[in-house]
Amino acid sequence: MTDTSKEHAETLLDLAATGKLSRRALLTQLAAAGLGAAVSASAVNQALAAGLVQSQNAANIQSEYDYIIVGAGAAGCALARRLADGTDASILVLEAGGNDEGVPEIDNPAAWVANIGSERDWSYFYTPTEQVDNRPILLSRGKVLGGSSSTNALVWVRGVPGDYDNWAAQGAEGWDFQSILPKLKAMEDWQGGETALRGAGGPIPVMAPTLDSLHPVAKVLIDAAESWGMPYIEDMNGPSNLGVGPNNFNMRDGVRVSTARGYLRPALDNPNLTVLLRAKTTGLVMEGNACRGVNILVDGEQRTIRAGAEVVLCAGAIDTPRLLMLSGIGNADDLADLGIASHSHLPGVGQNLQEHILLGGMIYEAREPIAPPTHNLEGSTFFRKSRAELTAPDLMFVSIQIPYLMPGLAAEYSLPQNPFTISPGLMGVKSRGYMKMLSAQHDGALEIQPNILQEPEDREAMYQGFLLAEELANEPAFREFAVQRAIPPESLATRAEKEAFIRRSVTTYFHPVGTAKMGIDEMAVTDPATLKVHGVEGLRVADASVMPSTTSANTHVPSILIGEMAADMIING
């Protein structure tokens, strides 16, 4: 099958699994597309069984479930699958967005940027500061089944062991790398099979492109970095990622495998599992210091659904703290200012916001027309230390096969012919921020402030990243591929000019974390051993908001890990 045929086959199975295709219609469409022999009978039967179960369950929503999971994103889908497989409990998964089936921009890895600003995006904005030239900066978050795992750039990188050891050092006992490694392995089906560090047979297929299959833009980043002196890294989740090489991606046969597809879809035929789409959770049902359910908005109607065991928030680093605060869990003084009665004074709710940053961007003119896009529009990356004394790499560069430029700069500069992008990024951020509600409405305005470039260390690291990009562009392989840097012009000479460009071009990786951090200090919100909210019965958090500090790579993998860990805590007590 071609990649397009595989996308079509997966779409038809998704439609059947959500009750939108009958057996006859599914088989007819598979045959018409010439896919009848390519899709197994077991896959067809499972999808049809799932469609029947979910159609019946959605038509008969109960007033109470054992577990209510708010958010079907990276962590929520993993948690739902493990609970469905490992318990006999009734489980309700609430997703504010719609279904993911039949969306080419989701299935096709190279089309992922089309999800930004679409109906599948919450389209939040970070609040402007002087350090970013007083610009609001887009924060894209997936609003669809699978959450951001359905809309992101598919990069499957864990970070380094020290990231997790650092969590343990901050009070998150049991989250050190050796303790969580079995869960990381259980998540994936690595193309190279099981090793000491990689897993096989897990829900998410993970692959790395071969050198000869990489896009020319991805290849030139590797060639330039190697000639500059960086080691070649075959597997970015191997013993070390300090070097350059192809990235890892969660895809199979050229098609995205999100957590909705890899984790959730195989469990949809379980009658104990109900997935309710376009169901916006507007608050928690609190009885004293206990959470007993949720209030939701479905088809314009408010409903209350109770939880016999507990509610688990998997709504992400923005909406999880918002739901906590809406329900009286947070800083009591701030809640009082909004007219919200306090149920539990937890001043850390909404604090500790962290975000990875990158430049958007440094645009170069290739000597020849750029080849059609492949993989995730990137393909290669490197990790590097901005200072030799660091214990882990803090810089992560990406090559982008299209021009990637912030709106203000796009209005000022004209794109060259054959444009492509090199984007220096900073993972080891020191700046910390917050998010807070500006009204007591569930859909009211928010102030989301990560304080990008607030700390001098972050500004220095990004400056060093800019200089490194300039050095790489002077390597022979790069000069053979590119005519010149078009944006900013190569005439940009002084440090002040370069720092001014950084302020105007800096954006983010869309990786917010930390706003309901696990720990034992006074600003901790969740218990590391259980992920239960401190001082509140019947409520856990399982998403990126519990990270006490961000990882040194993309946050997709650790977000799924948190869902896996939460499931283990619930099942094994």
Side-chain angles (χ1 to χ4, degrees):
M1 282 194 292
T2 65
D3 287 353
T4 302
S5 296
K6 291 163 187 170
E7 287 179 23
H8 186 52
E10 292 294 341
T11 292
L12 292 175
L13 291 173
D14 283 339
L15 287 166
T18 51
K20 295 180 180 178
L21 283 181
S22 66
R23 174 179 291 274
R24 175 175 293 181
L26 173 61
L27 295 176
T28 299
Q29 293 196 37
L30 286 171
L35 301 172
V39 179
S40 69
S42 62
V44 168
N45 290 334
Q46 185 186 57
L48 290 168
L52 179 61
V53 167
Q54 291 305 312
S55 295
Q56 291 175 342
N57 286 1
N60 295 280
I61 297 299
Q62 305 299 303
S63 60
E64 181 174 318
Y65 293 81
D66 294 324
Y67 293 96
I68 299 175
I69 299 172
V70 179
C77 287
L79 173 60
R81 166 71 176 278
R82 297 310 190 193
L83 288 184
D85 287 351
T87 74
D88 293 326
S90 59
I91 305 158
L92 175 65
V93 181
L94 298 169
E95 170 54 46
N99 221 320
D100 61 333
E101 92 275 328
V103 183
E105 295 83 0
I106 290 178
D107 290 342
N108 179 1
W112 74 268
V113 292
N115 294 307
I116 299 174
S118 72
E119 64 178 357
R120 299 174 294 282
D121 190 354
W122 285 102
S123 297
Y124 292 122
F125 280 88
Y126 287 131
T127 304
T129 69
E130 290 183 2
Q131 293 296 342
V132 297
D133 205 36
N134 295 306
R135 294 176 295 120
I137 293 177
L138 177 67
L139 169 58
S140 179
R141 306 302 300 147
K143 185 182 181 182
V144 66
L145 189 64
S148 294
S149 81
S150 290
T151 62
N152 66 14
L154 299 93
V155 175
W156 188 270
V157 187
R158 301 166 175 172
V160 299
D163 294 335
Y164 304 95
D165 295 341
N166 187 33
W167 291 1
Q170 295 178 69
E173 185 178 348
W175 290 82
D176 60 280
F177 183 72
Q178 285 304 315
S179 294
I180 57 94
L181 179 58
K183 284 284 186 284
L184 290 172
K185 293 178 64 176
M187 291 157 50
E188 65 181 18
D189 187 15
W190 171 237
Q191 67 177 13
E194 185 174 8
T195 69
L197 293 174
R198 304 309 302 263
I204 304 295
V206 183
M207 57 82 68
T210 59
L211 270 176
D212 59 4
S213 72
L214 284 174
H215 191 277
V217 168
K219 186 67 165 55
V220 77
L221 180 69
I222 293 176
D223 292 343
E226 280 196 284
S227 65
W228 185 87
M230 293 184 202
Y232 177 77
I233 304 295
E234 185 175 355
D235 177 10
M236 287 296 169
N237 290 299
S240 172
N241 67 0
L242 190 57
V244 66
N247 232 325
N248 281 198
F249 304 114
N250 51 289
M251 63 175 77
R252 178 186 285 121
D253 299 328
V255 181
R256 177 196 297 268
V257 180
S258 65
T259 53
R261 184 167 282 169
Y263 274 91
L264 197 59
R265 191 172 77 181
L268 291 178
D269 59 349
N270 186 326
N272 290 331
L273 176 63
T274 300
V275 178
L276 187 59
L277 300 176
R278 303 193 186 281
K280 173 73 181 297
T281 302
T282 59
L284 308 177
V285 177
M286 299 297 298
E287 296 176 1
N289 68 341
C291 177
R292 300 304 187 200
V294 296
N295 295 314
I296 64 173
L297 185 63
V298 183
D299 296 327
E301 179 184 349
Q302 284 281 355
R303 297 186 62 173
T304 296
I305 302 179
R306 296 184 67 84
E310 60 187 50
V311 173
V312 188
L313 297 182
C314 301
I318 305 305
D319 283 294
T320 281
R322 191 211 302 247
L323 281 169
L324 291 172
M325 290 186 281
L326 282 168
S327 308
I329 303 168
N331 188 303
D333 292 336
D334 291 344
L335 297 178
D337 291 341
L338 295 173
I340 299 174
S342 176
H343 285 279
S344 183
H345 174 61
L346 286 176
V349 174
Q351 301 299 307
N352 193 46
L353 176 61
Q354 298 154 61
E355 172 66 278
H356 293 150
I357 57 178
L358 80 163
L359 294 191
M362 300 177 76
I363 312 295
Y364 295 83
E365 180 182 356
R367 296 185 184 277
E368 303 291 339
I370 299 291
T374 64
H375 298 113
N376 70 333
L377 286 179
E378 298 168 13
S380 65
T381 190
F382 70 74
F383 291 89
R384 186 76 185 166
K385 298 178 184 179
S386 65
R387 307 192 314 276
E389 64 269 22
L390 293 175
T391 58
D394 61 335
L395 298 176
M396 178 184 179
F397 277 45
V398 292
S399 58
I400 308 176
Q401 300 157 21
I402 60 174
Y404 184 56
L405 195 61
M406 292 301 95
L409 293 171
E412 179 179 344
Y413 293 106
S414 297
L415 289 175
Q417 288 187 322
N418 311 322
F420 70 98
T421 310
I422 301 296
S423 282
L426 178 63
M427 296 296 187
V429 292
K430 303 299 182 185
S431 300
R432 300 291 185 269
Y434 59 87
M435 66 79 60
K436 67 179 182 180
M437 299 192 307
L438 300 180
S439 84
Q441 302 300 313
H442 72 86
D443 55 355
L446 301 174
E447 182 179 344
I448 311 175
Q449 182 52 269
N451 285 318
I452 295 169
L453 295 178
Q454 179 187 54
E455 296 299 324
E457 295 97 321
D458 291 352
R459 297 197 293 273
E460 178 63 24
M462 284 303 291
Y463 178 67
Q464 294 301 321
F466 187 99
L467 296 182
L468 179 53
E470 290 189 316
E471 291 182 27
L472 292 175
N474 282 321
E475 290 296 312
F478 204 100
R479 282 298 185 191
E480 290 176 11
F481 186 78
V483 178
Q484 63 180 344
R485 188 181 74 209
I487 306 171
E490 292 189 346
S491 59
L492 212 65
T494 69
R495 176 167 184 147
E497 290 173 327
K498 294 173 183 179
E499 289 180 335
F501 179 80
I502 291 171
R503 288 193 299 273
R504 298 177 64 202
S505 64
V506 72
T507 183
T508 79
Y509 272 91
F510 310 144
H511 295 167
V513 308
T515 49
K517 74 168 187 172
M518 56 180 167
I520 55 177
D521 62 86
E522 64 180 9
M523 295 301 287
V525 177
T526 45
D527 178 2
T530 63
L531 294 180
K532 291 181 179 179
V533 176
H534 288 305
V536 180
E537 294 179 21
L539 183 62
R540 299 188 204 231
V541 175
D543 58 33
S545 64
V546 307
M547 297 184 197
S549 54
T550 193
T551 52
S552 59
N554 302 62
T555 54
H556 184 203
V557 173
S559 294
I560 301 173
L561 166 71
I562 291 164
E564 288 268 10
M565 293 287 282
D568 190 66
M569 293 167 182
I570 292 171
I571 293 169
N572 296 315

